[in-house]
Amino acid sequence: MVICVGKLKERFYQEAAAEYCKRLGRYCRLEVAELPEQRLSEAPSPAEIEQALAKEAEMIRSRAPAGASLAALCVEGVQRSSEEFSQLLGSWDQLGEKALVFVIGGSYGLHTSLKKEAWARLSLSRMTFPHHLARVMVLEQIYRGYQILEGGKYHK
């Protein structure tokens, strides 16, 4: 499962995400859940941001299956190569856990409590990307990870 704060508005992101979701149907039962991003003032205070992130965290928790392992996408996360990410997917599979949930926050990221609860914290790059693009990138890497695990031709 992939839980995302914010809605994909641009058609090209929608189409790319849909393509990887279709491809992933061969490997796993994938669900992508979009949650609304909390509205903030034009120049939000740190307290206002904290409150919004806490509300988003509660929405994420309520949407994730009970007992799910969370993989939080955050700047503090570990950068991994595609092969290392594939190994992470494989190690989670071996745990026999019920569900793995990748969590992508909105424009202000994820609440600290979610990051602390996460089974894994991942970073896509030291660069900053829009969270809409991050969704496509995560879906592509999940697909690539499964391809690597099965020895497929997609990853060269």
Side-chain angles (χ1 to χ4, degrees):
M1 175 176 218
V2 178
I3 297 178
C4 312
V5 176
K7 183 177 172 86
L8 285 185
K9 297 175 187 165
E10 294 86 356
R11 185 180 182 134
F12 57 93
Y13 287 138
Q14 294 170 352
E15 290 172 353
E19 176 62 27
Y20 287 111
C21 287
K22 181 178 87 176
R23 291 181 187 192
L24 281 163
R26 174 176 170 205
Y27 298 101
C28 61
R29 200 187 86 220
L30 178 71
E31 179 183 355
V32 177
E34 289 183 340
L35 303 176
E37 190 167 6
Q38 294 295 299
R39 294 197 182 271
L40 296 169
S41 64
E42 193 163 317
S45 68
E48 189 179 355
I49 294 169
E50 174 69 18
Q51 184 179 22
L53 290 177
K55 285 181 183 177
E56 289 172 357
E58 286 309 310
M59 286 190 299
I60 290 166
R61 286 185 189 98
S62 70
R63 190 64 181 87
S69 301
L70 298 181
L73 278 290
C74 56
V75 296
E76 306 89 349
V78 176
Q79 292 181 35
R80 298 175 186 266
S81 68
S82 295
E83 294 85 358
E84 291 167 337
F85 180 75
S86 177
Q87 291 171 357
L88 184 73
L89 280 177
S91 69
W92 177 82
D93 258 352
Q94 292 175 357
L95 291 175
E97 297 290 329
K98 190 162 119 177
L100 176 58
V101 178
F102 292 89
V103 183
I104 303 170
S107 55
Y108 285 95
L110 295 170
H111 194 264
T112 305
S113 64
L114 275 177
K115 296 176 199 179
K116 288 180 181 176
E117 294 168 23
W119 170 72
R121 287 187 302 274
L122 305 169
S123 173
L124 295 174
S125 172
R126 290 176 47 206
M127 295 180 194
T128 301
F129 298 105
H131 56 278
H132 302 27
L133 179 57
R135 181 187 315 191
V136 174
M137 293 169 68
V138 166
L139 290 169
E140 190 278 338
Q141 283 299 297
I142 296 169
Y143 175 70
R144 183 179 297 273
Y146 279 116
Q147 279 282 309
I148 291 169
L149 286 172
E150 81 164 8
K153 295 178 184 177
Y154 182 78
H155 181 72
K156 295 177 176 100

PDB file of all heavy atoms in Angstrom, residues 58-73:
ATOM      1  N   GLU A  58      -2.535  11.297  12.023  1.00  0.00           N
ATOM      2  CA  GLU A  58      -3.707  10.531  12.498  1.00  0.00           C
ATOM      3  C   GLU A  58      -4.497   9.968  11.329  1.00  0.00           C
ATOM      4  O   GLU A  58      -4.966   8.826  11.383  1.00  0.00           O
ATOM      5  CB  GLU A  58      -4.584  11.395  13.398  1.00  0.00           C
ATOM      6  CG  GLU A  58      -3.988  11.635  14.769  1.00  0.00           C
ATOM      7  CD  GLU A  58      -3.543  10.348  15.456  1.00  0.00           C
ATOM      8  OE1 GLU A  58      -4.334   9.376  15.518  1.00  0.00           O
ATOM      9  OE2 GLU A  58      -2.385  10.304  15.929  1.00  0.00           O
ATOM     10  N   MET A  59      -4.656  10.741  10.260  1.00  0.00           N
ATOM     11  CA  MET A  59      -5.356  10.238   9.070  1.00  0.00           C
ATOM     12  C   MET A  59      -4.593   9.064   8.463  1.00  0.00           C
ATOM     13  O   MET A  59      -5.192   8.071   8.047  1.00  0.00           O
ATOM     14  CB  MET A  59      -5.528  11.348   8.021  1.00  0.00           C
ATOM     15  CG  MET A  59      -6.564  12.374   8.365  1.00  0.00           C
ATOM     16  SD  MET A  59      -6.932  13.504   6.990  1.00  0.00           S
ATOM     17  CE  MET A  59      -5.345  14.272   6.691  1.00  0.00           C
ATOM     18  N   ILE A  60      -3.266   9.166   8.420  1.00  0.00           N
ATOM     19  CA  ILE A  60      -2.436   8.090   7.874  1.00  0.00           C
ATOM     20  C   ILE A  60      -2.602   6.831   8.710  1.00  0.00           C
ATOM     21  O   ILE A  60      -2.820   5.737   8.188  1.00  0.00           O
ATOM     22  CB  ILE A  60      -0.957   8.530   7.795  1.00  0.00           C
ATOM     23  CG1 ILE A  60      -0.790   9.598   6.708  1.00  0.00           C
ATOM     24  CG2 ILE A  60      -0.033   7.336   7.548  1.00  0.00           C
ATOM     25  CD1 ILE A  60       0.534  10.346   6.751  1.00  0.00           C
ATOM     26  N   ARG A  61      -2.524   6.983  10.027  1.00  0.00           N
ATOM     27  CA  ARG A  61      -2.679   5.819  10.917  1.00  0.00           C
ATOM     28  C   ARG A  61      -4.053   5.170  10.750  1.00  0.00           C
ATOM     29  O   ARG A  61      -4.169   3.945  10.778  1.00  0.00           O
ATOM     30  CB  ARG A  61      -2.480   6.234  12.370  1.00  0.00           C
ATOM     31  CG  ARG A  61      -1.047   6.498  12.732  1.00  0.00           C
ATOM     32  CD  ARG A  61      -0.908   6.797  14.228  1.00  0.00           C
ATOM     33  NE  ARG A  61       0.428   7.245  14.516  1.00  0.00           N
ATOM     34  CZ  ARG A  61       0.783   8.522  14.631  1.00  0.00           C
ATOM     35  NH1 ARG A  61      -0.108   9.488  14.500  1.00  0.00           N
ATOM     36  NH2 ARG A  61       2.027   8.843  14.877  1.00  0.00           N
ATOM     37  N   SER A  62      -5.069   5.989  10.596  1.00  0.00           N
ATOM     38  CA  SER A  62      -6.419   5.426  10.471  1.00  0.00           C
ATOM     39  C   SER A  62      -6.612   4.721   9.129  1.00  0.00           C
ATOM     40  O   SER A  62      -7.438   3.824   9.021  1.00  0.00           O
ATOM     41  CB  SER A  62      -7.483   6.507  10.655  1.00  0.00           C
ATOM     42  OG  SER A  62      -7.499   7.398   9.565  1.00  0.00           O
ATOM     43  N   ARG A  63      -5.832   5.082   8.137  1.00  0.00           N
ATOM     44  CA  ARG A  63      -5.967   4.481   6.799  1.00  0.00           C
ATOM     45  C   ARG A  63      -5.104   3.239   6.643  1.00  0.00           C
ATOM     46  O   ARG A  63      -5.416   2.347   5.860  1.00  0.00           O
ATOM     47  CB  ARG A  63      -5.585   5.532   5.738  1.00  0.00           C
ATOM     48  CG  ARG A  63      -5.896   5.123   4.327  1.00  0.00           C
ATOM     49  CD  ARG A  63      -7.413   4.952   4.151  1.00  0.00           C
ATOM     50  NE  ARG A  63      -7.727   4.530   2.819  1.00  0.00           N
ATOM     51  CZ  ARG A  63      -7.763   3.272   2.405  1.00  0.00           C
ATOM     52  NH1 ARG A  63      -7.484   2.286   3.235  1.00  0.00           N
ATOM     53  NH2 ARG A  63      -8.063   2.987   1.164  1.00  0.00           N
ATOM     54  N   ALA A  64      -4.012   3.161   7.376  1.00  0.00           N
ATOM     55  CA  ALA A  64      -3.114   2.004   7.278  1.00  0.00           C
ATOM     56  C   ALA A  64      -3.751   0.790   7.949  1.00  0.00           C
ATOM     57  O   ALA A  64      -4.405   0.917   8.979  1.00  0.00           O
ATOM     58  CB  ALA A  64      -1.777   2.327   7.946  1.00  0.00           C
ATOM     59  N   PRO A  65      -3.564  -0.391   7.372  1.00  0.00           N
ATOM     60  CA  PRO A  65      -4.084  -1.604   8.004  1.00  0.00           C
ATOM     61  C   PRO A  65      -3.449  -1.813   9.383  1.00  0.00           C
ATOM     62  O   PRO A  65      -2.286  -1.470   9.599  1.00  0.00           O
ATOM     63  CB  PRO A  65      -3.659  -2.725   7.057  1.00  0.00           C
ATOM     64  CG  PRO A  65      -3.342  -2.052   5.758  1.00  0.00           C
ATOM     65  CD  PRO A  65      -2.897  -0.671   6.101  1.00  0.00           C
ATOM     66  N   ALA A  66      -4.202  -2.369  10.301  1.00  0.00           N
ATOM     67  CA  ALA A  66      -3.692  -2.646  11.641  1.00  0.00           C
ATOM     68  C   ALA A  66      -2.464  -3.552  11.548  1.00  0.00           C
ATOM     69  O   ALA A  66      -2.453  -4.521  10.793  1.00  0.00           O
ATOM     70  CB  ALA A  66      -4.773  -3.313  12.485  1.00  0.00           C
ATOM     71  N   GLY A  67      -1.440  -3.211  12.286  1.00  0.00           N
ATOM     72  CA  GLY A  67      -0.224  -4.022  12.321  1.00  0.00           C
ATOM     73  C   GLY A  67       0.680  -3.871  11.112  1.00  0.00           C
ATOM     74  O   GLY A  67       1.643  -4.620  10.971  1.00  0.00           O
ATOM     75  N   ALA A  68       0.406  -2.914  10.251  1.00  0.00           N
ATOM     76  CA  ALA A  68       1.219  -2.733   9.046  1.00  0.00           C
ATOM     77  C   ALA A  68       2.606  -2.206   9.394  1.00  0.00           C
ATOM     78  O   ALA A  68       2.784  -1.470  10.362  1.00  0.00           O
ATOM     79  CB  ALA A  68       0.524  -1.762   8.092  1.00  0.00           C
ATOM     80  N   SER A  69       3.568  -2.581   8.592  1.00  0.00           N
ATOM     81  CA  SER A  69       4.917  -2.017   8.683  1.00  0.00           C
ATOM     82  C   SER A  69       4.929  -0.753   7.838  1.00  0.00           C
ATOM     83  O   SER A  69       4.531  -0.775   6.673  1.00  0.00           O
ATOM     84  CB  SER A  69       5.948  -3.000   8.117  1.00  0.00           C
ATOM     85  OG  SER A  69       5.919  -4.214   8.818  1.00  0.00           O
ATOM     86  N   LEU A  70       5.388   0.342   8.436  1.00  0.00           N
ATOM     87  CA  LEU A  70       5.443   1.613   7.714  1.00  0.00           C
ATOM     88  C   LEU A  70       6.844   1.860   7.167  1.00  0.00           C
ATOM     89  O   LEU A  70       7.827   1.639   7.864  1.00  0.00           O
ATOM     90  CB  LEU A  70       5.071   2.777   8.632  1.00  0.00           C
ATOM     91  CG  LEU A  70       3.683   2.799   9.239  1.00  0.00           C
ATOM     92  CD1 LEU A  70       3.505   4.044  10.106  1.00  0.00           C
ATOM     93  CD2 LEU A  70       2.612   2.727   8.175  1.00  0.00           C
ATOM     94  N   ALA A  71       6.887   2.335   5.933  1.00  0.00           N
ATOM     95  CA  ALA A  71       8.132   2.806   5.327  1.00  0.00           C
ATOM     96  C   ALA A  71       7.903   4.281   5.038  1.00  0.00           C
ATOM     97  O   ALA A  71       7.133   4.634   4.141  1.00  0.00           O
ATOM     98  CB  ALA A  71       8.446   2.031   4.058  1.00  0.00           C
ATOM     99  N   ALA A  72       8.522   5.134   5.835  1.00  0.00           N
ATOM    100  CA  ALA A  72       8.314   6.575   5.730  1.00  0.00           C
ATOM    101  C   ALA A  72       9.317   7.186   4.762  1.00  0.00           C
ATOM    102  O   ALA A  72      10.521   6.955   4.884  1.00  0.00           O
ATOM    103  CB  ALA A  72       8.459   7.216   7.109  1.00  0.00           C
ATOM    104  N   LEU A  73       8.820   7.965   3.818  1.00  0.00           N
ATOM    105  CA  LEU A  73       9.683   8.711   2.910  1.00  0.00           C
ATOM    106  C   LEU A  73       9.960  10.051   3.564  1.00  0.00           C
ATOM    107  O   LEU A  73       9.037  10.826   3.815  1.00  0.00           O
ATOM    108  CB  LEU A  73       9.002   8.921   1.559  1.00  0.00           C
ATOM    109  CG  LEU A  73       9.074   7.767   0.556  1.00  0.00           C
ATOM    110  CD1 LEU A  73      10.472   7.598   0.017  1.00  0.00           C
ATOM    111  CD2 LEU A  73       8.525   6.478   1.055  1.00  0.00           C
TER     112      LEU A  73
END
